[in-house]
Amino acid sequence: MSEVKIAADVRSSFGKGAARTIRRENKVPGVIYGHGTEPVHVTLPGHELLLALRTANVLLSLDIDGKTELAIPKAVQRDAIKGYLVHVDLLLVKKGEKVTVEVAVETEGDLAPGSFLVENVLNTLSVEAEATHIPTSVTVSIEGLEAGAAIHAKDIKLPSGTTLATDPEAVVIQILSAQAEEPAAETEAAEGAEA
């Protein structure tokens, strides 16, 4: 897991107008909360934050008025059309503290010969891990699986120090047989022509 250092400025202006002004300056408004403390409203550098958020579950080392705080992204709002950051909620964490996060599920390997489809029922798994050792993803082997096979959350090997928070019986990946079907319209047209 990577740790990214970012300078954050405490802000005292709130509302839509203040947020627009912040975004015009290529910065992002945000809120930091957690550990029973009062929420702190901050302004973060837009480009640095955007680059940091490319890493899933990135650990941010925030420099706030000379004090360093560790935080992870909890909610990120983006503009629906242009994709720029609108607002970010950050959760304070401490080294050694366990947090629950979503990690991506990736597949590796080849299916058994034949026409099969891999259906990712869950694209992410909810896991509990130490705040400074959050895995970016978990890998699942689909090597040699055939139609009808399913991989449950409990079957996935997690990195050391990580525990499953998702329902263990939840189906994560299932293998389906690929069946070619004739389009219904063509079949009905052929039957109508014969009559």
Side-chain angles (χ1 to χ4, degrees):
M1 166 163 218
S2 60
E3 184 176 319
V4 179
K5 294 180 188 269
I6 293 182
D9 300 320
V10 176
R11 63 185 169 102
S12 55
S13 55
F14 308 103
K16 286 183 182 179
R20 285 187 189 122
T21 303
I22 290 168
R23 286 191 283 273
R24 261 187 250 125
E25 295 170 358
N26 242 356
K27 295 184 178 183
V28 180
V31 176
I32 303 169
Y33 57 89
H35 296 149
T37 61
E38 287 292 317
V40 178
H41 297 272
V42 294
T43 301
L44 302 155
H47 184 69
E48 290 176 45
L49 184 61
L50 187 64
L51 291 176
L53 292 175
R54 287 185 178 173
T55 303
N57 296 317
V58 66
L59 182 65
L60 300 173
S61 177
L62 301 171
D63 181 15
I64 309 168
D65 292 337
K67 186 179 173 188
T68 301
E69 296 278 5
L70 293 177
I72 57 172
K74 199 63 178 167
V76 178
Q77 296 174 357
R78 297 177 187 268
D79 180 84
I81 297 171
K82 297 185 180 177
Y84 62 82
L85 295 173
V86 174
H87 190 272
V88 64
D89 285 2
L90 302 171
L91 178 65
L92 288 174
V93 294
K94 293 181 180 171
K95 290 187 182 198
E97 177 184 6
K98 292 263 189 178
V99 293
T100 302
V101 294
E102 297 287 322
V103 294
V105 175
E106 297 176 356
T107 58
E108 68 177 8
D110 297 318
L111 296 172
S115 298
F116 301 122
L117 300 172
V118 178
E119 180 184 11
N120 287 50
V121 179
L122 296 177
N123 292 318
T124 62
L125 275 184
S126 185
V127 298
E128 188 177 78
E130 200 263 313
T132 56
H133 294 92
I134 298 172
T136 53
S137 64
V138 291
T139 305
V140 179
S141 175
I142 57 170
E143 188 69 39
L145 294 180
E146 296 183 357
I151 298 173
H152 295 85
K154 66 182 178 184
D155 302 328
I156 297 174
K157 186 172 179 354
L158 299 174
S160 174
T162 305
T163 56
L164 188 65
T166 300
D167 175 13
E169 296 300 322
V171 174
V172 179
I173 294 171
Q174 61 185 6
I175 310 303
L176 308 170
S177 63
Q179 298 176 350
E181 294 183 18
E182 288 185 34
E186 290 180 16
T187 306
E188 290 173 11
E191 289 173 0
E194 291 173 4

